[in-house]
Amino acid sequence: GLGRCALAQGDRERALKEWLTAIETLTGLRASLATERISGAFFTDRQTAYEAALALALALDDAEAALVVSEAAKSQTFRSLGYPQTWRRSAHDDPYLASLLEREATLRRDFDRQRRALSLVSADDTGLALRDASDLLMDQSPALARLRDIANAYEETLELLRLAQPTRQGAATRLFALAELRESAARLGRPWACLTYLLVDSVLTVFYLDADRLVAARHTLTPYDAAIVRQCTDVGRNYRTLIYGGQIGGRPAPGLIGPAYRQHLYRLLVPPAIADALQAAALGPDGRLFISPHGALHTLPFGALLDGETVLGEQAALVYTPSLAALAWLLGQPTPAAGRALVCGLADFQGQARPL
């Protein structure tokens, strides 16, 4: 309300300040809600405040304020990073909590088992199929329904655990601070940069930041843009093999649809001003490019985007993060002591699939 009043009086700077104050209050209230489902509903009912603040911050060329609003609008999943440790400590004296933890572990194992059972038929040129196509078609729908049932039961169990132990820890109990991220990232001891996205309906907002620069860009998707985003993020086998493998039914696809789509998507997701900043950062193979997708972009393989003939994955090592707030929290954690690790790999699959 105060933001709208200030805007009606022509004072845009004060309007932005009022909206940021409101969003900070909403962030604290949202963090106090016990489950992601309730938190999401709370955010949806108040989404217009975030949209108004973001649009005003960009209109004022205040990229840092716009980034703060964008981060506040994202999922609050990582706010509960401290939950598992709290649950385990409390379970010794709480039979109800112990039973919920046992149920959570059982459902997690059931989910992994059911997911492994949904093996896909491989393409013609990748060797023997893991399962016969007719068998797959007959039992895939019931198996998917069972997977959804397990996922729903697991989510309900997590909600009960969170309600039983409402202690809040994590990255999203207050507004994102750019200075804290830069301070934490400096500990990496190597070049770094971040790309973070906010996709609301047909409006795409892109932020680039590194140790010295912060660039924001906003674009309204055309129907053609939206179609390319939809097809490039489709997890179905046909679109994946066509766009990223250049094949249809195991055979080479005519034309250059895949590369053309991936080049267009690169220009959309890394617009010119941001592309210039990314090039100036000169990350190289030792650098880290942190990517925080949003919405449909979570299923996009960013490393396959084409800058001309060069894939984005060759410009730096890509690291995905749910949000920059989560990244700042994770980078700020104490580095664990070096330990021993057994690393195994397999390059030849004995004719069952193509060698790596």
Side-chain angles (χ1 to χ4, degrees):
L2 293 176
R4 288 195 184 94
C5 291
L7 195 60
Q9 295 172 351
D11 192 341
R12 298 197 300 172
E13 287 76 11
R14 185 164 67 86
L16 179 58
K17 182 179 178 181
E18 296 291 355
W19 263 317
L20 288 173
T21 300
I23 288 172
E24 184 173 16
T25 302
L26 290 173
T27 298
L29 291 172
R30 192 177 175 190
S32 69
L33 300 175
T35 70
E36 186 66 23
R37 186 181 305 180
I38 300 173
S39 170
F42 178 84
F43 167 75
T44 301
D45 292 340
R46 294 154 182 84
Q47 189 172 349
T48 54
Y50 295 83
E51 293 173 354
L54 179 60
L56 182 56
L58 291 172
L60 292 171
D61 283 332
D62 192 339
E64 184 170 349
L67 179 60
V68 168
V69 176
S70 174
E71 283 296 299
K74 286 193 170 184
S75 170
Q76 308 294 290
T77 301
F78 265 65
R79 71 182 180 205
S80 56
L81 286 169
Y83 270 140
Q85 295 86 348
T86 304
W87 292 337
R88 284 191 289 270
R89 286 194 299 267
S90 303
H92 297 291
D93 304 317
D94 189 336
Y96 172 68
L97 188 60
S99 67
L100 287 176
L101 283 174
E102 184 178 355
R103 184 184 179 194
E104 183 271 338
T106 300
L107 288 169
R108 181 159 26 91
R109 289 192 296 268
D110 289 346
F111 186 87
D112 290 339
R113 190 181 305 113
Q114 188 71 16
R115 186 174 55 182
R116 287 194 299 269
L118 288 170
S119 302
L120 295 176
V121 178
S122 62
D124 295 343
D125 64 339
T126 59
L128 299 174
L130 297 177
R131 297 173 64 191
D132 182 76
S134 60
D135 291 341
L136 183 69
L137 292 174
M138 283 191 298
D139 64 5
Q140 190 176 42
S141 294
L144 285 170
R146 171 62 179 156
L147 193 66
R148 283 193 295 271
D149 290 343
I150 296 173
N152 290 336
Y154 185 79
E155 183 178 354
E156 291 173 0
T157 302
L158 285 182
E159 288 193 352
L160 291 173
L161 281 166
R162 288 168 178 163
L163 288 168
Q165 290 288 319
T167 302
R168 291 286 163 201
Q169 296 184 33
T173 56
R174 56 190 178 85
L175 291 181
F176 168 74
L178 177 59
E180 289 182 9
L181 173 60
R182 283 175 166 160
E183 181 181 352
S184 298
R187 303 174 189 173
L188 291 171
R190 64 183 72 208
W192 64 274
C194 298
L195 283 171
T196 181
Y197 299 89
L198 187 68
L199 180 59
V200 180
D201 297 326
S202 62
V203 179
L204 174 68
T205 308
V206 186
F207 296 92
Y208 168 89
L209 66 109
D210 57 26
D212 304 306
R213 288 171 287 265
L214 173 60
V215 184
R218 203 176 204 197
H219 178 72
T220 299
L221 302 184
T222 66
Y224 180 68
D225 295 334
I228 289 182
V229 170
R230 184 172 60 254
Q231 293 176 19
C232 288
T233 57
D234 194 304
V235 296
R237 176 173 168 242
N238 290 337
Y239 277 125
R240 288 280 164 169
T241 55
L242 172 62
I243 294 171
Y244 302 107
Q247 296 182 340
I248 298 177
R251 295 176 175 80
L256 298 172
I257 294 178
Y261 276 21
R262 289 153 56 196
Q263 288 171 346
H264 183 87
L265 207 53
Y266 182 91
R267 293 191 294 270
L268 189 66
L269 298 177
V270 189
I274 290 177
D276 292 343
L278 183 59
Q279 184 178 8
L283 298 178
D286 293 330
R288 296 290 183 269
L289 178 58
F290 297 98
I291 297 178
S292 175
H294 183 248
L297 299 179
H298 278 290
T299 57
L300 177 69
F302 279 82
L305 299 183
L306 279 173
D307 177 15
E309 299 299 323
T310 304
V311 295
L312 180 60
E314 292 180 353
Q315 298 186 27
L318 307 188
V319 181
Y320 290 91
T321 177
S323 67
L324 296 188
L327 176 63
W329 189 89
L330 291 169
L331 291 178
Q333 298 306 297
T335 303
R340 301 174 63 186
L342 174 63
V343 180
C344 302
L346 186 64
D348 188 350
F349 303 98
Q350 302 297 318
Q352 298 295 311
R354 289 176 295 182
L356 299 176

